[in-house]
Amino acid sequence: MTKLKRLVRLTVEKRSGLPVLSMLLLLLLLLPSSDEVCARRVLGRRNLDSGLCQCRADSSMWAFPAEKYMSVLEQLDTCRESLTDLEEQLVVSGQHLPQMQDQVANVTSRLEPYQYLHSRGLYTVLTLRELSEELNQLETDIGVVHRQINSNQTQKLHKEVSTLLKDVKKMKTSDTINMKTVRDKLRYLKNNVESCKSIPKDFKGQNKRCFKGLITGFSPPVTSKVSPHGKDKLSGSWGKQAQADSDGQKNSYWVQPLLNTNIYGNTLRVYRTYEDFMASSNQQDFTFSPSFTDAKTLEGPSAVLYGEALYYHCYRSADICRFDLKTNLVTRATLPGTGVGFNNKFPYCYYDCRPNSDVDLEADEMGLWAIYATVGNHGNLVVSRVTWDSQAQTLNVTRTWETRQFKKSATNAFMACGVLYATRYVDEFREEVFYAFNTESGREDNSLTLPLEKVSKGVASLSYNPTDQQLYMYNDGYLLAYQTHF
């Protein structure tokens, strides 16, 4: 009995940190049930000699339930740990509540202008999709906290987010005219206005082949040659003189390699005849910038020799440059648009991005063009007319069209008869012209499937020449030319 008392005393001392409520629960669990408590009659007998009454009693019914006592203590420990974990979760959830309230208030304020626009049929689908995704995540987070706390505050937050989410979904699925549709219509009208201003009245009469419509196909390569600078110069451009009435340059061919990291160049090589080009002889070299980091350095693999000048993209800028072969002077003009892409912001990609191919200079029957992309047009292709004013000695950008074709989803592009064509990768030995945008009508066609053979997978540049109707490709150090068919 003494050992049992000591056990109880030690256990109580060790568990003295338990709350009073826990100790009371312990005692209640240890008390015998009503079925166990009963009166017990004890028989005895009287000693005649001493006059005392003697009896024998069994005390086992009052034995301390040590095993049951230890089991109850273990249950109390488990309950205490669970209670501690729950208290920690409640503290964390309580700390997150103010942040979630701020998020709901922020989303509500951001949604107000779109609710105003929605009532008038104007809104931006992209922004609403972003809001919807944000609200879905917020609804999930608040749901977790609400299941843990389930207070009036969490109920209110959950209801507010659910209401906002329904409003956003309603606007997304509405059939009324949205901002995207309005922008498409504005782009179409703007392109038509630009077309009316820029196309000469006798354009089709001067170029009967353009009257036939879009290009219908290409021949296998009619010219195939390794770049005179070697196959390791993977990027660059080449072709035939693109201006039919150019003095002294009518039959010349040119090669413009990117000598520095396949991104920058500062030299131009010109051959007077096709025979000289094929034999890599009798060339004339021009240097238009003193170094690869000069402001006049060429950036990217797309240039064109038009008349007595080379037109190209200026080093790390939104400018195009004109290098005069006679005077060695460089003239600049800035491309129009919000956030014109350069320095590898909007290169040609599709299969494999061509570094720094942001701005592409082209020529066709109508003159000079610049192909690029802008942030304002969501990275889609933009095409601008470029003119040289010989009297004022200025380079000008006169007209601009915006398309809906994402620039990074094309491997390259070129102009022919005032139509913008874009290509995409098929496999290592084939490209495909898949897209056309007509600057005369403002119409787009993305159903073309015009194959182009090649000898390597990468296409650095692709240019149409109006003097011989051939397409010139700089194909990873290989120079290829194709005859176009209208």
Side-chain angles (χ1 to χ4, degrees):
M1 191 66 180
T2 304
K3 291 182 179 180
L4 183 59
K5 290 180 179 180
R6 188 181 299 113
L7 174 61
V8 173
R9 185 175 65 254
L10 290 174
T11 304
V12 172
E13 290 175 355
K14 186 181 295 184
R15 307 281 177 169
S16 59
L18 289 173
V20 175
L21 182 62
S22 300
M23 293 299 296
L24 291 175
L25 176 62
L26 175 62
L27 292 175
L28 288 173
L29 289 172
L30 290 174
L31 287 175
S33 63
S34 58
D35 294 337
E36 294 175 345
V37 178
C38 62
R40 177 170 296 188
R41 180 176 298 174
V42 179
L43 299 177
R45 63 182 179 177
R46 184 175 182 181
N47 192 323
L48 298 177
D49 297 332
S50 60
L52 297 176
C53 181
Q54 295 178 344
C55 60
R56 180 178 296 176
D58 184 4
S59 63
S60 60
M61 63 173 292
W62 296 294
F64 188 80
E67 293 183 0
K68 187 175 181 181
Y69 173 74
M70 297 305 296
S71 175
V72 171
L73 287 179
E74 290 177 359
Q75 293 179 23
L76 285 176
D77 287 339
T78 302
C79 292
R80 184 174 59 179
E81 291 175 0
S82 299
L83 182 61
T84 302
D85 292 340
L86 182 59
E87 289 175 346
E88 292 176 354
Q89 291 178 12
L90 289 175
V91 171
V92 173
S93 299
Q95 292 173 349
H96 286 173
L97 270 178
Q99 182 181 356
M100 290 181 179
Q101 287 176 316
D102 293 339
Q103 284 183 281
V104 172
N106 181 35
V107 173
T108 303
S109 62
R110 287 164 53 193
L111 190 58
E112 286 179 358
Y114 299 106
Q115 290 174 330
Y116 170 81
L117 291 174
H118 175 62
S119 64
R120 286 156 177 78
L122 299 173
Y123 55 91
T124 54
V125 174
L126 180 61
T127 307
L128 291 177
R129 185 164 62 247
E130 293 174 351
L131 278 174
S132 180
E133 292 175 357
E134 186 175 343
L135 283 170
N136 279 323
Q137 183 59 47
L138 191 57
E139 185 181 40
T140 301
D141 295 340
I142 291 178
V144 173
V145 176
H146 178 62
R147 287 192 293 272
Q148 294 176 351
I149 299 179
N150 193 16
S151 64
N152 292 333
Q153 191 177 17
T154 58
Q155 290 178 358
K156 182 180 178 181
L157 280 175
H158 194 273
K159 184 177 180 180
E160 288 181 8
V161 172
S162 298
T163 302
L164 290 175
L165 194 55
K166 289 179 181 178
D167 291 342
V168 172
K169 288 181 178 179
K170 183 178 179 181
M171 280 188 272
K172 283 176 62 180
T173 57
S174 176
D175 293 330
T176 57
I177 298 175
N178 56 46
M179 189 67 75
K180 182 178 182 296
T181 304
V182 173
R183 286 177 176 173
D184 288 343
K185 288 187 176 180
L186 288 176
R187 183 189 295 111
Y188 176 76
L189 292 173
K190 179 182 176 182
N191 287 341
N192 281 345
V193 172
E194 296 294 309
S195 300
C196 293
K197 290 180 180 179
S198 60
I199 296 179
K201 294 180 180 179
D202 57 350
F203 165 65
K204 290 182 178 178
Q206 289 179 348
N207 306 280
K208 293 182 180 180
R209 62 181 169 275
C210 294
F211 185 72
K212 297 179 180 179
L214 298 178
I215 294 174
T216 58
F218 306 92
S219 71
V222 295
T223 301
S224 180
K225 175 181 168 61
V226 176
S227 169
H229 298 275
K231 289 193 298 183
D232 60 325
K233 304 305 178 186
L234 298 179
S235 283
S237 50
W238 81 289
K240 185 178 180 290
Q241 165 62 248
Q243 190 175 28
D245 56 352
S246 176
D247 296 335
Q249 297 283 344
K250 186 175 181 179
N251 297 313
S252 62
Y253 285 76
W254 58 276
V255 180
Q256 200 292 302
L258 300 183
L259 301 177
N260 182 257
T261 65
N262 290 308
I263 295 177
Y264 306 107
N266 64 347
T267 63
L268 170 69
R269 177 167 293 182
V270 179
Y271 301 90
R272 280 195 170 274
T273 65
Y274 179 76
E275 290 73 21
D276 289 340
F277 165 71
M278 292 302 293
S280 297
S281 62
N282 300 324
Q283 70 267 15
Q284 185 178 5
D285 291 331
F286 299 86
T287 301
F288 45 85
S289 69
S291 69
F292 293 120
T293 57
D294 185 80
K296 298 186 292 294
T297 295
L298 182 151
E299 177 179 330
S302 296
V304 61
L305 182 64
Y306 191 80
E308 301 294 333
L310 179 74
Y311 294 82
Y312 60 91
H313 177 211
C314 309
Y315 177 80
R316 292 189 179 181
S317 70
D319 295 351
I320 54 175
C321 283
R322 178 187 186 272
F323 170 68
D324 194 303
L325 275 62
K326 289 185 175 180
T327 63
N328 292 335
L329 295 177
V330 174
T331 310
R332 307 170 70 97
T334 301
L335 293 170
T338 303
V340 174
F342 64 91
N343 199 24
N344 213 35
K345 187 176 184 65
F346 295 120
Y348 288 125
C349 281
Y350 195 77
Y351 173 78
D352 188 17
C353 292
R354 181 62 54 168
N356 295 67
S357 56
D358 299 85
V359 180
D360 186 355
L361 275 297
E362 299 288 338
D364 70 353
E365 289 81 358
M366 295 181 64
L368 288 166
W369 303 87
I371 303 171
Y372 55 102
T374 65
V375 174
N377 196 35
H378 313 294
N380 295 327
L381 286 168
V382 176
V383 58
S384 292
R385 277 292 308 276
V386 179
T387 60
W388 169 249
D389 189 335
S390 58
Q391 293 184 347
Q393 295 290 294
T394 58
L395 186 62
N396 305 302
V397 180
T398 58
R399 301 286 182 265
T400 298
W401 292 260
E402 294 180 342
T403 76
R404 291 179 293 181
Q405 176 59 46
F406 191 51
K407 188 173 185 291
K408 283 189 174 182
S409 64
T411 53
N412 225 282
F414 62 92
M415 298 294 301
C417 291
V419 177
L420 168 69
Y421 294 90
T423 64
R424 61 187 172 194
Y425 176 91
V426 178
D427 57 40
E428 186 174 353
F429 303 108
R430 286 187 302 165
E431 288 285 308
E432 181 181 74
V433 175
F434 73 99
Y435 173 84
F437 172 81
N438 194 330
T439 60
E440 181 182 2
S441 63
R443 294 181 179 178
E444 296 174 286
D445 188 343
N446 56 7
S447 63
L448 302 180
T449 55
L450 307 179
L452 270 173
E453 297 179 19
K454 57 184 180 177
V455 296
S456 184
K457 69 177 182 179
V459 177
S461 65
L462 197 60
S463 299
Y464 169 81
N465 191 291
T467 67
D468 58 6
Q469 297 81 56
Q470 289 193 11
L471 193 65
Y472 292 85
M473 178 190 292
Y474 197 107
N475 183 204
D476 283 345
Y478 293 93
L479 310 182
L480 307 178
Y482 313 80
Q483 189 64 50
T484 60
H485 305 298
F486 289 87

